[in-house]
Amino acid sequence: MSFELPKLPYDYTSLEPHIDARTMEIHHSKHHNAYVTNLNVAIAGTDADKLSIEDICKNISNYPMPVRNNGGGHYNHSLFWSILAVNDGALPTGKLMDAINAHLGGMDKFKEEFNKAATTRFGSGWAWLCVENGKLKVCSTPNQDNPLMDVSECKGTPILGLDVWEHAYYLNYQNRRPDYISAFWNVINWTQVSRRFEAANI
Ligand code: MN
């Protein structure tokens, strides 16, 4: 089995003006595609080619660095694309909103904590909202690591992630990572985040 680049459930233009079409096209068709290609090379002929990407991440300490970097890259970007859609200011609802209130002190505090995690991640990496033991938490990871990985300082099941590598925003935002982070809140598909939250809580 080999991994494949997932098709996006929307057009490259559909997140504009928050995330521009050229960035989306390069990010998906070049960057993510390279992670998939390099992951397939790295796992060819090993037992990892029978595993899900989630199971590879959970046991990532058993694999060499190219699997960690490219496997993480494939998992992280697949999650990222799935939770994006222009939301017109909509907020989370239902059990997810209840958990944001109960575990994170409400939407404003959650945004503040998430923005801080995304802004202060030095160099390249990701900010996450994840579920650990039934509770929500915010954290960040370097490079293409993620909270599923056994080597990660931040552990849990990710339900929302933001790519803060420069390739994710530089064409449109240049060095203004905080502007990109602010714009991200306009393109979170809360229905998909809720779906991941409820799946993680079972
Ligand atoms: Mn990326």
Side-chain angles (χ1 to χ4, degrees):
M1 187 191 96
S2 59
F3 291 101
E4 290 182 4
L5 182 68
K7 288 202 184 348
L8 297 187
Y10 42 74
D11 296 332
Y12 289 136
T13 56
S14 68
L15 304 175
E16 290 195 337
H18 312 293
I19 304 179
D20 64 286
R22 184 77 176 130
T23 296
M24 285 299 294
E25 181 180 359
I26 295 172
H27 201 176
H28 175 256
S29 71
K30 305 294 184 193
H31 290 278
H32 188 174
N33 193 53
Y35 295 123
V36 172
T37 301
N38 293 329
L39 174 63
N40 286 331
V41 169
I43 64 170
T46 75
D47 69 344
D49 75 355
K50 296 176 190 67
L51 299 177
S52 69
I53 192 62
E54 288 82 2
D55 284 341
I56 291 173
C57 288
K58 286 174 186 170
N59 296 290
I60 205 70
S61 61
N62 295 337
Y63 298 100
M65 200 50 106
V67 178
R68 177 169 166 180
N69 290 337
N70 294 293
H74 177 44
Y75 176 86
N76 297 348
H77 289 85
S78 299
L79 185 152
F80 187 49
W81 310 135
S82 79
I83 55 90
L84 296 177
V86 172
N87 63 27
D88 296 318
L91 294 172
T93 55
K95 290 178 186 169
L96 175 61
M97 193 60 179
D98 292 345
I100 289 170
N101 287 328
H103 307 154
L104 300 175
M107 196 64 195
D108 289 347
K109 285 209 164 134
F110 161 46
K111 284 177 76 166
E112 197 178 307
E113 192 180 353
F114 189 92
N115 288 349
K116 188 177 172 198
T119 306
T120 58
R121 167 50 58 192
F122 185 76
S124 298
W126 291 75
W128 302 103
L129 174 65
C130 46
V131 182
E132 186 185 36
N133 301 322
K135 290 194 80 171
L136 289 174
K137 70 174 188 183
V138 170
C139 63
S140 75
T141 54
N143 305 314
Q144 294 295 356
D145 287 357
N146 64 53
L148 288 182
M149 291 183 174
D150 58 359
V151 296
S152 180
E153 283 181 21
C154 163
K155 294 217 177 49
T157 303
I159 62 169
L160 170 71
L162 176 60
D163 188 345
V164 295
W165 284 57
E166 283 188 347
H167 70 226
Y169 61 86
Y170 207 86
L171 282 178
N172 194 34
Y173 293 98
Q174 294 82 47
N175 61 318
R176 303 187 310 277
R177 188 192 287 189
D179 292 351
Y180 161 71
I181 296 168
S182 296
F184 173 61
W185 295 98
N186 299 313
V187 291
I188 298 173
N189 182 336
W190 291 112
T191 304
Q192 289 301 322
V193 180
S194 282
R195 191 185 61 72
R196 286 180 177 272
F197 173 66
E198 295 189 20
N201 258 339
I202 290 169

